[in-house]
Amino acid sequence: MEKTTLSPAIILDRDGTLHRDTHYLIRFEDFEVLPGVEEALKILLEKGYRLFAATNQSGVARGMFPLEKVLELNTKIRGYFLEKGINIEDIAICPHHPEGSVSEYSRDCDCRKPKPGMLLDLARRHGLDLSRSYMVGDHPRDAKAGVVAGATGVLIHADSAGSVDNRERLKEFPSLLEFARAAEGV
């Protein structure tokens, strides 16, 4: 019997990490990639990482837009990056919020970051080794979800000094590009 090897991955928050956070982005026309993101993702691919995203989308639970619109937008975002030679293999979505107005999605769940559900699901479905992976985002909840899931959490923001303890599995970088340059190769 052949042993299956689990892959290391970079799991990225979507809004504010891959593109400018426009607060409930739903139209592709408003999608604007942040500076350095394309270069960073190419570096991470060259270093042997698989790329994924995990995004809280409480606008679904709040009745601002249907889940189908988020799925359509994610398909367009993946297509945009694929045209640049960057394969983001899957984008996991949490449409829930405990204070939502759409009953189907109005609940406390295990997938809304900082909980690890989306990351654990991606790992199970795609054969990922979370212990050799990173969860990268622009909010502490993103990095914390990574740590809770067993990955290394990475907090990205321009003024990163002192906002998160740089413990063994929680790191900070001023940009995604700086993280990509510093990340170890697989």
Side-chain angles (χ1 to χ4, degrees):
M1 188 167 167
E2 191 176 311
K3 183 181 177 185
T4 303
T5 304
L6 300 177
S7 304
I10 306 295
I11 304 170
L12 302 135
D13 173 51
R14 198 190 78 180
D15 303 346
T17 302
L18 292 177
H19 62 84
R20 189 167 315 286
D21 189 352
T22 60
H23 201 64
Y24 297 111
L25 175 73
I26 198 62
R27 295 173 355 118
F28 186 71
E29 296 77 27
D30 298 327
F31 173 76
E32 182 184 342
V33 176
L34 289 169
V37 164
E38 291 172 20
E39 181 182 353
L41 297 179
K42 288 178 180 178
I43 289 170
L44 293 166
L45 285 170
E46 288 171 5
K47 289 185 175 189
Y49 289 98
R50 295 171 67 192
L51 301 178
F52 297 87
T55 179
N56 288 347
Q57 292 296 317
S58 68
V60 175
R62 296 172 195 270
M64 299 172 74
F65 39 78
L67 180 60
E68 294 74 25
K69 289 290 186 189
V70 177
L71 296 171
E72 288 172 19
L73 176 61
N74 286 347
T75 297
K76 290 177 181 179
I77 290 172
R78 288 183 63 223
Y80 169 88
F81 283 111
L82 203 52
E83 286 178 3
K84 308 288 184 185
I86 301 163
N87 184 15
I88 297 176
E89 296 181 40
D90 194 0
I91 301 177
I93 302 164
C94 172
H96 309 112
H97 194 280
E99 298 170 12
S101 59
V102 178
S103 61
E104 180 180 1
Y105 302 110
S106 179
R107 63 182 165 99
D108 191 14
C109 62
D110 293 331
C111 57
R112 184 172 175 74
K113 295 178 288 182
K115 294 180 182 174
M118 284 189 285
L119 283 67
L120 297 173
D121 182 58
L122 285 169
R124 180 186 51 77
R125 290 189 296 113
H126 294 283
L128 306 180
D129 180 353
L130 291 176
S131 71
R132 296 188 303 140
S133 297
Y134 295 87
M135 173 64 214
V136 183
D138 64 324
H139 288 283
R141 67 177 170 254
D142 301 316
K144 288 176 184 175
V147 171
V148 173
T152 298
V154 177
L155 182 61
I156 300 292
H157 53 97
D159 182 23
S160 63
S163 66
V164 173
D165 258 347
N166 275 331
R167 295 169 293 182
E168 183 178 329
R169 297 200 73 77
L170 191 58
K171 309 290 182 194
E172 288 185 88
F173 290 89
S175 71
L176 185 60
L177 186 55
E178 291 299 318
F179 162 69
R181 289 176 175 152
E184 297 286 327
V186 177

